[in-house]
mmCIF file with all atom_site columns, all heavy atoms in Angstrom:
data_model
loop_
_atom_site.group_PDB
_atom_site.id
_atom_site.type_symbol
_atom_site.label_atom_id
_atom_site.label_alt_id
_atom_site.label_comp_id
_atom_site.label_asym_id
_atom_site.label_entity_id
_atom_site.label_seq_id
_atom_site.pdbx_PDB_ins_code
_atom_site.Cartn_x
_atom_site.Cartn_y
_atom_site.Cartn_z
_atom_site.occupancy
_atom_site.B_iso_or_equiv
_atom_site.pdbx_formal_charge
_atom_site.auth_seq_id
_atom_site.auth_comp_id
_atom_site.auth_asym_id
_atom_site.auth_atom_id
_atom_site.pdbx_PDB_model_num
ATOM 1  N N   . GLU A 1 73 ? 21.431 -10.057 7.753  1.00 0.00 ? 392 GLU A N   1
ATOM 2  C CA  . GLU A 1 73 ? 22.678 -10.528 7.156  1.00 0.00 ? 392 GLU A CA  1
ATOM 3  C C   . GLU A 1 73 ? 23.592 -11.159 8.208  1.00 0.00 ? 392 GLU A C   1
ATOM 4  O O   . GLU A 1 73 ? 23.673 -10.684 9.331  1.00 0.00 ? 392 GLU A O   1
ATOM 5  C CB  . GLU A 1 73 ? 23.399 -9.381  6.451  1.00 0.00 ? 392 GLU A CB  1
ATOM 6  C CG  . GLU A 1 73 ? 22.663 -8.915  5.218  1.00 0.00 ? 392 GLU A CG  1
ATOM 7  C CD  . GLU A 1 73 ? 23.418 -7.844  4.453  1.00 0.00 ? 392 GLU A CD  1
ATOM 8  O OE1 . GLU A 1 73 ? 24.480 -7.384  4.919  1.00 0.00 ? 392 GLU A OE1 1
ATOM 9  O OE2 . GLU A 1 73 ? 22.923 -7.468  3.383  1.00 0.00 ? 392 GLU A OE2 1
ATOM 10 N N   . PRO A 1 74 ? 24.293 -12.244 7.828  1.00 0.00 ? 393 PRO A N   1
ATOM 11 C CA  . PRO A 1 74 ? 25.221 -12.887 8.761  1.00 0.00 ? 393 PRO A CA  1
ATOM 12 C C   . PRO A 1 74 ? 26.538 -12.110 8.813  1.00 0.00 ? 393 PRO A C   1
ATOM 13 O O   . PRO A 1 74 ? 27.102 -11.761 7.777  1.00 0.00 ? 393 PRO A O   1
ATOM 14 C CB  . PRO A 1 74 ? 25.421 -14.276 8.154  1.00 0.00 ? 393 PRO A CB  1
ATOM 15 C CG  . PRO A 1 74 ? 25.187 -14.088 6.685  1.00 0.00 ? 393 PRO A CG  1
ATOM 16 C CD  . PRO A 1 74 ? 24.162 -12.992 6.573  1.00 0.00 ? 393 PRO A CD  1
ATOM 17 N N   . LEU A 1 75 ? 27.011 -11.818 10.023 1.00 0.00 ? 394 LEU A N   1
ATOM 18 C CA  . LEU A 1 75 ? 28.238 -11.055 10.201 1.00 0.00 ? 394 LEU A CA  1
ATOM 19 C C   . LEU A 1 75 ? 29.168 -11.736 11.185 1.00 0.00 ? 394 LEU A C   1
ATOM 20 O O   . LEU A 1 75 ? 28.744 -12.553 12.008 1.00 0.00 ? 394 LEU A O   1
ATOM 21 C CB  . LEU A 1 75 ? 27.936 -9.652  10.745 1.00 0.00 ? 394 LEU A CB  1
ATOM 22 C CG  . LEU A 1 75 ? 27.152 -8.677  9.903  1.00 0.00 ? 394 LEU A CG  1
ATOM 23 C CD1 . LEU A 1 75 ? 27.001 -7.358  10.641 1.00 0.00 ? 394 LEU A CD1 1
ATOM 24 C CD2 . LEU A 1 75 ? 27.806 -8.465  8.558  1.00 0.00 ? 394 LEU A CD2 1
ATOM 25 N N   . VAL A 1 76 ? 30.432 -11.335 11.122 1.00 0.00 ? 395 VAL A N   1
ATOM 26 C CA  . VAL A 1 76 ? 31.426 -11.648 12.142 1.00 0.00 ? 395 VAL A CA  1
ATOM 27 C C   . VAL A 1 76 ? 31.848 -10.297 12.706 1.00 0.00 ? 395 VAL A C   1
ATOM 28 O O   . VAL A 1 76 ? 32.283 -9.418  11.966 1.00 0.00 ? 395 VAL A O   1
ATOM 29 C CB  . VAL A 1 76 ? 32.640 -12.389 11.551 1.00 0.00 ? 395 VAL A CB  1
ATOM 30 C CG1 . VAL A 1 76 ? 33.682 -12.641 12.622 1.00 0.00 ? 395 VAL A CG1 1
ATOM 31 C CG2 . VAL A 1 76 ? 32.214 -13.684 10.892 1.00 0.00 ? 395 VAL A CG2 1
ATOM 32 N N   . VAL A 1 77 ? 31.677 -10.113 14.018 1.00 0.00 ? 396 VAL A N   1
ATOM 33 C CA  . VAL A 1 77 ? 31.994 -8.846  14.683 1.00 0.00 ? 396 VAL A CA  1
ATOM 34 C C   . VAL A 1 77 ? 33.109 -9.092  15.687 1.00 0.00 ? 396 VAL A C   1
ATOM 35 O O   . VAL A 1 77 ? 33.005 -9.986  16.526 1.00 0.00 ? 396 VAL A O   1
ATOM 36 C CB  . VAL A 1 77 ? 30.754 -8.262  15.395 1.00 0.00 ? 396 VAL A CB  1
ATOM 37 C CG1 . VAL A 1 77 ? 31.108 -7.015  16.182 1.00 0.00 ? 396 VAL A CG1 1
ATOM 38 C CG2 . VAL A 1 77 ? 29.645 -7.973  14.395 1.00 0.00 ? 396 VAL A CG2 1
ATOM 39 N N   . HIS A 1 78 ? 34.165 -8.299  15.598 1.00 0.00 ? 397 HIS A N   1
ATOM 40 C CA  . HIS A 1 78 ? 35.276 -8.392  16.541 1.00 0.00 ? 397 HIS A CA  1
ATOM 41 C C   . HIS A 1 78 ? 35.405 -7.035  17.226 1.00 0.00 ? 397 HIS A C   1
ATOM 42 O O   . HIS A 1 78 ? 35.442 -6.000  16.558 1.00 0.00 ? 397 HIS A O   1
ATOM 43 C CB  . HIS A 1 78 ? 36.580 -8.737  15.806 1.00 0.00 ? 397 HIS A CB  1
ATOM 44 C CG  . HIS A 1 78 ? 37.761 -8.798  16.716 1.00 0.00 ? 397 HIS A CG  1
ATOM 45 N ND1 . HIS A 1 78 ? 37.997 -9.855  17.557 1.00 0.00 ? 397 HIS A ND1 1
ATOM 46 C CD2 . HIS A 1 78 ? 38.765 -7.922  16.931 1.00 0.00 ? 397 HIS A CD2 1
ATOM 47 C CE1 . HIS A 1 78 ? 39.100 -9.628  18.233 1.00 0.00 ? 397 HIS A CE1 1
ATOM 48 N NE2 . HIS A 1 78 ? 39.588 -8.454  17.875 1.00 0.00 ? 397 HIS A NE2 1
#
Side-chain angles (χ1 to χ4, degrees):
E392 291 184 355
L394 295 181
V395 177
V396 175
H397 178 76

